[in-house]
Amino acid sequence: MSGFSSVYLDTRLTVLARRLFSFEQLIDFIELDLERILAQVREHTGYDYTVDNSNPRLIEGQLTNHALDEFRILIRPFSGSERRFLQFAIRWFELVNLKVLIRGKFNAIDSDLIEEQLIDLRRFADLPIKQLLETDDPYEMLRLLETTVYGGIVRPARRMYEEHGNDLFLLDATIDRSFFIDLHYHARFLDSEDAENVGRVLGGLLDRFNLLWLLRYRFSYGLSPARSFYLLTKTGNRLHSAQLLRLARLDSVEEVVVALPREYRELLANVAGISDMETVMEYYSLSLAARALHRLPNLLSRTFSYIVLREAEVRFLQALIKGKQLGFENDLIRQAVGARA
Amino acid sequence: MWSAPQEMRKIGLYMVDADAQQAALALARMAVLHPLEEPGGEALPENPAAPYHEVYHDLNSRFGKISGFIRKPLEAPAESTRLVTLDRLQELDQQLKALWAQISALEEQIRRQNERIAAIRQLANSLQKFTSLDLDLGRLRRQGRFLRIAVGTIPAENFNQLRSALSLTKFLIKTFYSSEGINHVVLFGPSQHREEVQDLLQSADFRGLVVPEEFTGSPTQLQADLDLRSREAEAHLRNLQQELYDLIDANMATLQSARDALLLAQPYASLGTVLKGRGGLVYLQGWVPAQREDEIRQQLVGHLEYPFQLEFSKPGQQEFDRVPSLLKKSRLLRPFQGLVKNFGMPGYREVDPSGLFALSYLLMFGMMFGDIGHGAVIALASLLFVRSYPGVTIVGVLAGMSSLFFGFVYGSLFGYEHVVPALWMSPMHDPVQVLLLAVFWGAGFIVIANLLAIRNFYAAGQFEQAYFSGKGLAGLLFYLAAFYAAYQVAANGRFGWLEALVMAAPMTVIVGFQWRRSSGGLVERILVVFIEGLEHVISNVSGTLSFLRVAAFSLNHIALAAAVFAIAGMLGSFGHGVTVVLGNIFIIVLEGAIVAIQCLRLEYYEGFSRFFNGKGRAFEPLKFET
């Protein structure tokens, strides 16, 4: 990257980072009504969102597309393996649509209803949505999906479906696992400094998902230690392979928490229930990304961190706005966005 | 030479719902209606064709999926007046849905069978590697009470994770061969963990080698068994494929009916969002060519059963942006119209420059690539594409003939300058004159482009633009004045008050016009007007000089031929002949392509961009899809 591009990207990242909401700001939004939330979002970010009660997905699409437009600008100065890594990372957004499609077809939901839940990703979309919606059964859709760029992600999901039927968590986890394996693979081609810096943020994400999946597979689904371990993704910052093998052998959530590395043990010591642990780990991994965005000099790592944080913010706002549109109680919204933990 | 797109009328047709499909068929047969979608408002809140459109869409989608399996050609429908009811469409949709369910199930079986065959092949491949292993294959069948052994394949990317996971079950795994992303492995461990390992292996996509009951320990026997399984699997695959084709063949009548129905239903279905209605009355509107008003009226009278009301109206100026452009049809001009559309579609009231474009393009091509031999080769070679790409043939033959004509003008034959007497002279004899001629050609080109711009502004009712803008009359006068001034300086070395005055007067008008249109603060307006004025002067100068390439390429053509002859001159008679032939091929292919592109560039950037915004909408009539 040229010196000019570096300065440009650095400035862009600094400006965009200032527009991110803090966790406390987002939590405060829960107490506000929808109009005031959108007014504050407009004031803070400059983005104007349209509320259309006849099309609640419109605002979700707008939120995603604003984020994707920013990513497009941020990625532009990169080239080669760095660019490929970031472009792959952005696919995370399309996985939401992929999961909606798979769940919808497996549950025999009407195509129009599935379409309503999809987010319009415009030029970032790789999935042939129209053809996928026109499929008549899940297997036809899977065959079509296997011909797309998501073929490698879909094949394990098919196996999981054939083995365990239509279990939402297992399907989602299988798709996410494949995504992280591929993302980790792309990270291998970065130069050593980039790989190390990106690894800190990515490692936090991998730890979070591995721990959550391990707990769920072992104690919610009762899978064997070996199988639970096998279904985990690449190892992250603190939960290395040997450690995960050791954790997989344990017989209760409490034992696992006690056996965790000190940092995670302290985080989860007083947290009851896997769902709340998931939230705590999510915010911990986001705090790592925030630290990298604000403190690290490495531009690739900062860009990746921004993508991670912005994705979480978009997801939070989508859940919050949807809850407000549907007239949910604040407590229920708090639970949905994981603000209780 | 040039013309505007065809005159259009806005059509409004009120009819009863029962006649709407017949009206759609009649209009589709004539291919005259460009439907116009406008909200019906409270007066016409219903979309009567929407349910029909929905079922049509489903049926079309299913037919599209199935049609990939149809091996026999379907016949064209015998008639184009038959109505296809919504009930009939639904019935066909249900039939195709049931058929597709069977096809999809067979497709899934075929997919699994292919996977099975691939797995057997991988195992057969594994077996061949066993010669390097000191392992009794009989043990694979005789699973002991304490020890379980398995041989098989897994995707290479799953291996490390599986090896770690297996360590929790005290199993060991070893790769003995690896190829094409597949690891051929042997694994063994205590039998007590067999079920746990089985689940794990399934997750890791492990394909195990199954040893038959009668196995005696010989790998050859196992190989034969795998060969047999492979043959059986392939036979089964062929059966499934045959079953699929038989299923299609058995349903050809249904498929033919579905295809006929789709063709006949398409016009009405495509009005799904266009047709508005209320209580059995429907309203259809769109654009039609003015000259076909009477024909439309007669056809509707002939085909509609109930009374209807038909209105034609001339588009108002405020509607010009929305009126589609239907270019006049001409077989000869069609490929040139294609090139014009590449730049953009002429607006409804804009000039269709296809004729002028064709003439100037061909003239410039000939001027830049004038050679009797090369022109003849291009014209003859273009005939090869007469069936596959008729447009290429038309452009190629005409360009070749233009090149041939200018070849006579220059006296050039395959680069030889002294074989055929020149009707005028070879460009090399007086390059300055040729360059001057190119500048005059460019000036003429720009003047015509400016005149067309004035005409377009005028036709669109933008009179101020037509008179006072840089692309309007004032711009034209400034250009002519500047050209006159430049001529005076070059010819007489004089730039007096007359020259200054004739240039300043139109420029003052242009700047004044820009000033009136600009907004913002005083400094900003001064800056904008100054930059736009300067840009106008620069674009005229650079545009005119751009045409020097017409002369440059005609000189370049001769220079390239001279280079070929220079190389050929250094060789013996055989080498000379070969070099001249290859050199000429090189000139025709490479320089011919470059000249073709340069001509297009001059047309687009120095011509079209001056008078034509290309934002028109193409006339897309309701018609039968074939």
Side-chain angles (χ1 to χ4, degrees):
Chain A
M1 196 186 297
S2 69
F4 177 78
S5 295
S6 299
V7 173
Y8 166 79
L9 185 61
D10 185 47
T11 312
R12 272 272 181 195
L13 276 167
T14 307
V15 171
L16 289 173
R18 280 196 202 128
R19 285 202 214 155
L20 285 170
F21 289 105
S22 68
F23 180 62
E24 290 74 23
Q25 281 173 305
L26 289 171
I27 296 296
D28 289 346
F29 280 168
I30 297 173
E31 303 302 326
L32 305 179
D33 60 34
L34 187 53
E35 272 183 25
R36 287 194 61 200
I37 295 170
L38 295 180
Q40 292 211 10
V41 170
R42 184 168 52 241
E43 197 180 312
H44 191 74
T45 64
Y47 291 131
D48 210 351
Y49 293 99
T50 319
V51 180
D52 179 357
N53 288 331
S54 65
N55 180 11
R57 300 292 289 182
L58 179 70
I59 203 161
E60 292 182 31
Q62 288 175 341
L63 280 162
T64 304
N65 277 304
H66 283 149
L68 290 173
D69 285 341
E70 291 169 4
F71 300 160
R72 187 171 51 81
I73 293 166
L74 291 177
I75 288 177
R76 209 182 285 151
F78 291 101
S79 60
S81 56
E82 299 167 354
R83 193 185 177 94
R84 281 191 291 277
F85 171 77
L86 292 173
Q87 278 176 330
F88 190 84
I90 291 174
R91 289 232 167 110
W92 182 249
F93 281 84
E94 198 162 32
L95 285 194
V96 175
N97 278 351
L98 182 68
K99 288 173 189 173
V100 168
L101 279 161
I102 290 179
R103 279 180 213 156
K105 283 289 171 187
F106 285 169
N107 284 315
I109 292 173
D110 189 71
S111 293
D112 290 342
L113 290 176
I114 299 176
E115 194 172 10
E116 277 176 23
Q117 294 176 53
L118 296 172
I119 295 168
D120 180 9
L121 296 175
R122 299 181 305 186
R123 60 177 166 269
F124 289 96
D126 279 323
L127 287 170
I129 297 285
K130 188 171 168 288
Q131 287 155 279
L132 288 165
L133 285 170
E134 284 174 358
T135 55
D136 282 313
D137 60 77
Y139 285 112
E140 184 192 350
M141 185 191 63
L142 288 174
R143 286 198 300 276
L144 183 56
L145 278 172
E146 283 169 8
T147 64
T148 68
V149 290
Y150 295 100
I153 288 179
V154 168
R155 273 183 278 274
R158 171 196 274 270
R159 272 199 300 279
M160 189 57 88
Y161 173 66
E162 286 170 350
E163 238 177 283
H164 290 274
N166 186 15
D167 183 292
L168 285 189
F169 170 76
L170 289 178
L171 279 171
D172 278 8
T174 308
I175 289 170
D176 292 343
R177 172 183 184 261
S178 302
F179 171 79
F180 280 118
I181 288 173
D182 287 350
L183 186 63
H184 193 269
Y185 172 80
H186 279 83
R188 280 173 48 193
F189 296 99
L190 301 174
D191 72 35
S192 55
E193 191 199 328
D194 282 341
E196 191 189 330
N197 284 298
V198 163
R200 287 183 211 168
V201 183
L202 181 57
L205 289 173
L206 296 174
D207 278 353
R208 163 185 146 196
F209 282 101
N210 274 337
L211 181 58
L212 164 74
W213 291 341
L214 183 72
L215 293 173
R216 288 243 189 252
Y217 289 140
R218 284 289 289 124
F219 308 115
S220 302
Y221 289 87
L223 300 187
S224 69
R227 188 128 185 268
S228 301
F229 174 82
Y230 178 78
L231 292 174
L232 303 182
T233 189
K234 295 287 175 184
T235 52
N237 283 349
R238 303 195 185 281
L239 298 177
H240 299 295
S241 206
Q243 205 145 19
L244 288 167
L245 280 169
R246 197 159 51 81
L247 294 173
R249 282 198 196 98
L250 300 174
D251 293 324
S252 70
V253 176
E254 293 72 25
E255 282 179 52
V256 171
V257 172
V258 169
L260 285 171
R262 189 176 57 83
E263 201 168 352
Y264 294 158
R265 189 172 62 235
E266 286 172 2
L267 271 175
L268 301 176
N270 297 315
V271 184
I274 298 175
S275 293
D276 285 352
M277 287 182 183
E278 179 183 356
T279 308
V280 170
M281 286 301 288
E282 177 177 1
Y283 286 107
Y284 175 74
S285 67
L286 292 176
S287 72
L288 288 182
R291 210 175 302 157
L293 175 63
H294 294 291
R295 294 190 196 161
L296 284 184
N298 184 280
L299 285 172
L300 180 70
S301 165
R302 289 182 66 201
T303 308
F304 178 60
S305 300
Y306 182 76
I307 292 173
V308 170
L309 289 164
R310 191 77 168 89
E311 186 274 333
E313 182 183 282
V314 166
R315 200 158 23 89
F316 187 102
L317 286 173
Q318 283 175 338
L320 173 66
I321 291 169
K322 191 180 224 170
K324 293 285 177 186
Q325 278 182 312
L326 294 172
F328 288 169
E329 294 289 324
N330 287 350
D331 260 358
L332 196 59
I333 295 176
R334 209 167 277 122
Q335 194 178 343
V337 297
R340 281 198 329 185
Chain B
M1 184 62 62
W2 63 75
S3 60
Q6 287 190 32
E7 195 72 24
M8 302 299 272
R9 292 286 178 269
K10 192 174 190 177
I11 183 178
L13 172 61
Y14 288 93
M15 60 196 149
V16 294
D17 197 0
D19 264 344
Q21 200 184 349
Q22 196 58 268
L25 284 175
L27 292 165
R29 274 194 300 278
M30 290 183 281
V32 286
L33 176 77
H34 178 103
L36 177 62
E37 187 178 348
E38 279 189 346
E42 283 180 15
L44 300 166
E46 297 161 13
N47 288 320
Y52 195 87
H53 170 83
E54 212 166 287
V55 180
Y56 169 86
H57 176 266
D58 289 349
L59 179 61
N60 194 35
S61 154
R62 291 210 168 86
F63 182 81
K65 289 194 283 194
I66 297 173
S67 63
F69 299 95
I70 301 175
R71 291 182 298 174
K72 296 174 187 166
L74 292 165
E75 289 165 18
E79 48 180 341
S80 59
T81 52
R82 185 163 53 86
L83 298 184
V84 180
T85 62
L86 179 60
D87 287 346
R88 177 62 181 149
L89 273 191
Q90 281 169 332
E91 184 191 339
L92 285 166
D93 186 41
Q94 287 308 312
Q95 288 174 6
L96 257 56
K97 188 176 182 181
L99 177 59
W100 177 248
Q102 293 179 64
I103 293 171
S104 185
L106 279 169
E107 275 265 274
E108 187 61 23
Q109 286 185 53
I110 288 170
R111 195 195 73 85
R112 285 168 199 262
Q113 199 60 21
N114 274 321
E115 267 193 0
R116 207 164 291 146
I117 290 169
I120 293 171
R121 284 187 185 143
Q122 284 167 10
L123 289 174
N125 201 7
S126 272
L127 201 58
Q128 285 175 2
K129 312 297 163 193
F130 264 92
T131 45
S132 60
L133 282 182
D134 183 19
L135 184 70
D136 173 12
L137 289 175
R139 294 296 300 269
L140 294 179
R141 183 167 56 85
R142 301 188 300 273
Q143 296 295 342
R145 274 180 63 193
F146 304 108
L147 186 67
R148 174 174 161 74
I149 302 174
V151 171
T153 61
I154 62 159
E157 70 264 20
N158 296 352
F159 179 77
N160 286 336
Q161 187 87 344
L162 177 65
R163 186 173 54 188
S164 301
L166 280 170
S167 69
L168 287 170
T169 61
K170 299 186 171 56
F171 262 68
L172 287 176
I173 184 167
K174 181 178 166 58
T175 298
F176 58 90
Y177 177 65
S178 173
S179 166
E180 295 173 358
I182 297 290
N183 278 18
H184 300 254
V185 297
V186 56
L187 59 106
F188 48 94
S191 286
Q192 70 200 60
H193 291 294
R194 196 170 52 198
E195 280 179 15
E196 186 184 346
V197 168
Q198 201 57 43
D199 283 350
L200 176 59
L201 292 177
Q202 200 175 346
S203 295
D205 203 13
F206 173 82
R207 309 289 167 96
L209 182 68
V210 180
V211 179
E213 282 299 315
E214 65 280 12
F215 181 67
T216 56
S218 151
T220 322
Q221 189 192 350
L222 206 49
Q223 184 68 53
D225 178 65
L226 281 177
D227 286 346
L228 178 66
R229 280 169 57 195
S230 176
R231 280 197 299 278
E232 282 172 355
E234 278 169 10
H236 185 49
L237 178 67
R238 281 194 296 276
N239 287 342
L240 286 170
Q241 281 164 341
Q242 191 54 48
E243 203 179 322
L244 181 57
Y245 289 130
D246 290 346
L247 181 65
I248 296 291
D249 290 348
N251 285 280
M252 278 306 281
T254 308
L255 291 169
Q256 178 74 53
S257 302
R259 213 285 304 267
D260 291 354
L262 281 169
L263 281 177
L264 295 169
Q266 188 266 336
Y268 182 58
S270 66
L271 298 177
T273 53
V274 176
L275 213 58
K276 306 292 176 194
R278 178 174 211 153
L281 182 73
V282 295
Y283 179 59
L284 171 66
Q285 59 178 341
W287 300 102
V288 296
Q291 66 197 42
R292 302 188 70 180
E293 266 186 47
D294 292 341
E295 188 192 347
I296 292 168
R297 197 180 296 278
Q298 281 167 16
Q299 285 290 320
L300 291 176
V301 168
H303 286 92
L304 301 198
E305 194 180 336
Y306 301 99
F308 63 90
Q309 187 186 334
L310 184 61
E311 296 164 350
F312 292 101
S313 58
K314 238 178 147 175
Q317 195 174 305
Q318 72 284 359
E319 287 182 303
F320 285 168
D321 288 350
R322 298 165 59 210
V323 185
S325 302
L326 174 58
L327 305 185
K328 296 214 167 84
K329 286 187 179 136
S330 157
R331 249 184 106 180
L332 203 62
L333 284 184
R334 195 184 300 158
F336 295 100
Q337 284 178 338
L339 289 169
V340 170
K341 286 181 196 165
N342 257 354
F343 183 85
M345 189 73 190
Y348 172 57
R349 302 305 283 178
E350 282 187 335
V351 162
D352 168 14
S354 307
L356 183 69
F357 164 71
L359 181 72
S360 55
Y361 182 87
L362 294 171
L363 280 174
M364 283 196 286
F365 186 86
M367 286 182 216
M368 293 156 86
F369 201 71
D371 189 296
I372 300 165
H374 295 162
V377 170
I378 289 173
L380 291 172
S382 303
L383 293 174
L384 295 173
F385 302 100
V386 70
R387 280 181 190 280
S388 47
Y389 300 102
V392 171
T393 301
I394 292 172
V395 176
V397 168
L398 291 173
M401 284 165 63
S402 173
S403 174
L404 193 143
F405 169 75
F406 277 94
F408 279 113
V409 172
Y410 300 152
S412 180
L413 175 70
F414 286 118
Y416 292 99
E417 299 292 314
H418 305 291
V419 178
V420 178
L423 293 177
W424 178 52
M425 66 164 191
S426 167
M428 272 301 187
H429 287 160
D430 193 348
V432 175
Q433 196 179 351
V434 176
L435 285 167
L436 273 175
L437 212 62
V439 169
F440 277 99
W441 164 263
F445 191 93
I446 288 173
V447 167
I448 292 173
N450 232 319
L451 287 168
L452 292 177
I454 294 168
R455 184 253 169 236
N456 280 346
F457 283 135
Y458 206 81
Q462 297 170 324
F463 302 118
E464 285 195 353
Q465 294 264 33
Y467 294 127
F468 308 128
S469 74
K471 287 182 174 178
L473 184 62
L476 176 63
L477 291 175
F478 173 77
Y479 183 73
L480 291 170
F483 201 81
Y484 166 74
Y487 175 77
Q488 286 294 354
V489 171
N492 308 318
R494 193 186 74 196
F495 186 85
W497 64 268
L498 179 65
E499 287 76 19
L501 185 69
V502 293
M503 281 176 70
M507 183 48 93
T508 309
V509 174
I510 294 168
V511 167
F513 178 71
Q514 281 168 349
W515 180 263
R516 263 191 62 199
R517 283 162 51 99
S518 63
S519 56
L522 181 68
V523 177
E524 190 185 340
R525 286 177 81 186
I526 291 171
L527 207 63
V528 167
V529 169
F530 174 74
I531 290 171
E532 283 186 3
L534 193 66
E535 193 263 333
H536 181 67
V537 175
I538 292 171
S539 80
N540 276 332
V541 173
S542 66
T544 310
L545 294 179
S546 206
F547 283 87
L548 283 174
R549 75 188 71 212
V550 176
F553 272 95
S554 67
L555 295 167
N556 177 52
H557 186 71
I558 296 166
L560 262 178
V564 169
F565 288 128
I567 296 167
M570 291 186 267
L571 304 167
S573 58
F574 178 74
H576 183 278
V578 170
T579 307
V580 169
V581 171
L582 291 179
N584 272 285
I585 292 172
F586 173 79
I587 291 171
I588 291 170
V589 174
L590 190 74
E591 206 208 336
I594 292 171
V595 166
I597 291 165
Q598 287 297 333
C599 289
L600 208 56
R601 186 217 166 276
L602 284 171
E603 295 282 354
Y604 282 175
Y605 295 104
E606 309 306 340
F608 290 1
S609 63
R610 287 173 192 271
F611 66 89
F612 163 42
N613 71 26
K615 289 181 183 164
R617 298 160 173 227
F619 179 75
E620 288 168 356
L622 186 71
K623 61 180 180 184
F624 289 107
E625 298 292 341
T626 49

